[in-house]
């Protein structure tokens, strides 16, 4: 009971840090992107998309002989983001899918398939871990090259504000610092959320794989819920979507890769989740249809999908 109460308290305190960090990030992402010469979409993909708390959690779990938590956290987080977060955005405000977002979603699905293939072999070894990390490095190079030349398109363009009379954008190093502070607060909040989730699930005596795929995954993706809310309030939903797509690619490559290098990861009981995580970016695109916009019905389908996913894990 004591561990349960402590876990709930940690989760509650993490929510404050996550909310503040997400507000800072969403407020200054566009200006920061212009400062470093890339679009706000790239900032969402590479900065919000990087999930160091996921990697740290997976690495520690792998080192402590908990491969179910390590692998389950990474892949469970992807399922959680692509159903709960994306579904909630679509239900609340609709989800526009610009051409660039669609392209990166396909890329996230491709690296997800690569990860799922390794998972299907029964064990993700160190060589496979290196291949996954190299795949993420290649994605980063592509994003950086494509997004080096603004303007941003779609709703992300709304993040570029404070244009003077000559049409130039006033950029400040302060914006970059504030974005990094926001990310740091989200990382700290996510770390505290993980600690709280671990105490809650330990008190309930659940198997490692179920813990990683559900409770820990929910905790480590909490900052994306906060980021999505902050982006929704500002009408820049593409920024939140970019964070989700970037995170999906990061978790399937860098997070799993690092954990596998530390210690090979047996993948029993994770195969289904791996293939679901790989397919979900394409499912989101399919729900967008020709209008390239996921509406309330599509969002509801994603939310129901998460419910079915939970049922399959705990049945």
């Amino acid at each position: 009971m004591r561990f349960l109460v402590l876990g709930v308290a940690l989760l509650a305190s993490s929510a404050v840090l996550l909310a503040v960090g997400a507000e800072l990030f969403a407020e200054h992402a566009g200006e920061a992107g212009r400062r470093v010469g890339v679009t706000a979409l790239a900032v969402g993909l590479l900065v919000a998309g990087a999930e160091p708390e996921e990697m740290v959690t997976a690495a520690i779990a792998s080192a402590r002989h908990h491969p179910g938590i390590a692998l389950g956290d990474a892949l469970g987080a992807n399922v959680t983001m692509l159903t709960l977060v994306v579904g909630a955005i679509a239900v609340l405000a609709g989800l526009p899918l610009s051409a660039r977002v669609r392209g990166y979603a396909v890329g996230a699905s491709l690296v997800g398939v690569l990860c799922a293939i390794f998972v299907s072999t029964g064990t993700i070894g160190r060589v496979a871990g290196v291949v996954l990390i190299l795949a993420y490095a290649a994605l980063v190079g592509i994003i950086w090259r494509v997004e080096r030349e603004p303007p941003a398109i779609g709703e992300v363009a709304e993040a570029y504000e404070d244009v003077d009379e000559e049409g130039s954008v006033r950029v400040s190093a302060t914006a970059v610092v504030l974005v990094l502070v926001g990310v740091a607060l989200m990382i700290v909040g996510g770390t505290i959320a993980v600690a709280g989730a671990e105490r809650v699930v330990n008190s309930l005596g659940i198997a490692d794989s179920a813990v990683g795929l559900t409770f820990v995954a929910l905790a480590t993706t909490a900052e994306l819920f906060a980021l999505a809310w902050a982006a929704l309030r500002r009408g820049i939903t593409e920024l939140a979507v970019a964070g989700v797509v970037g995170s999906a690619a990061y978790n399937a490559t860098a997070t799993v890769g690092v954990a596998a290098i530390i210690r090979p990861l047996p993948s029993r009981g994770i195969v289904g989740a791996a293939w679901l995580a790989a397919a979900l970016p394409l499912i989101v695109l399919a729900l967008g249809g020709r209008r390239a916009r996921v509406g309330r019905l599509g969002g509801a389908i994603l939310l129901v999908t998460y419910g079915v996913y939970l049922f399959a894990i705990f049945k």
Side-chain angles (χ1 to χ4, degrees):
M1 184 63 182
R2 182 182 63 182
F3 284 104
L4 182 60
V5 172
L6 178 59
V8 172
L10 288 172
L11 289 171
S13 62
S14 72
V16 177
L17 291 174
L18 292 168
V20 173
E23 287 288 335
L24 285 173
F25 183 91
E27 180 72 27
H28 301 283
E31 190 176 356
R34 284 296 177 92
R35 178 68 179 181
V36 299
V38 297
T39 65
L41 184 61
V43 176
L45 287 163
L46 298 179
V47 181
E51 294 279 1
E53 71 278 13
E54 297 278 8
M55 180 184 290
V56 169
T57 301
I60 292 173
S62 179
R64 295 182 178 178
H65 301 274
H66 291 292
I69 290 180
L71 196 53
D73 176 31
L75 299 178
N78 283 3
V79 173
T80 302
M81 290 184 297
L82 290 162
T83 53
L84 279 186
V85 176
V86 174
I89 294 173
V91 168
L92 292 173
L95 184 68
L97 301 171
S98 69
R100 287 185 181 178
V101 167
R102 294 197 298 273
Y104 293 133
V106 171
S109 183
L110 289 176
V111 295
V113 167
L114 178 63
C115 179
I117 290 172
F118 288 138
V119 170
S120 298
T121 64
T123 300
I124 303 180
R126 290 188 172 92
V127 174
V130 171
V131 171
L132 289 172
I133 291 174
L134 291 176
Y136 182 71
L139 275 180
V140 170
I142 293 171
I143 292 170
W144 189 260
R145 182 178 180 85
V146 171
E147 300 296 331
R148 283 291 293 176
E149 296 182 2
I153 59 176
E155 294 184 8
V156 175
E158 297 178 19
Y160 294 129
E161 299 175 343
D162 299 333
V163 180
D164 62 21
E165 294 180 356
E166 297 179 356
S168 62
V169 179
R170 296 195 297 272
V171 296
S172 170
T174 303
V176 178
V177 173
L178 290 174
V179 165
L180 294 177
V181 169
V183 172
L185 288 174
M186 286 191 286
I187 291 171
V188 173
T191 302
I192 293 174
V194 170
E198 288 176 339
R199 283 165 174 78
V200 171
V201 298
N202 284 341
S203 68
L204 299 177
I206 303 173
D208 278 1
S209 59
V211 170
L213 288 167
T214 56
F215 291 98
V216 179
L218 276 170
T220 53
T221 56
E223 77 276 10
L224 279 175
F225 282 96
L227 175 60
W229 174 249
L232 276 174
R233 291 178 58 237
R234 289 169 174 78
I236 47 175
T237 54
E238 278 189 8
L239 188 61
V241 177
V244 170
V245 170
S247 294
Y250 182 93
N251 289 337
T253 53
T255 299
V256 174
V258 167
I261 288 173
I262 292 173
R263 192 181 302 278
L265 301 172
S267 54
R268 183 178 180 181
I270 309 290
V271 176
W275 285 106
L276 176 60
L280 275 169
L282 299 182
I283 292 173
V284 171
L285 295 184
L287 290 173
R290 293 183 179 180
R291 297 179 59 189
R293 182 182 181 85
V294 182
R296 288 186 173 87
L297 177 59
I301 291 173
L302 291 172
L303 294 177
V304 170
T305 299
Y306 184 73
V308 174
Y309 163 78
L310 289 180
F311 176 78
I313 291 174
F314 292 113
K315 68 177 181 180

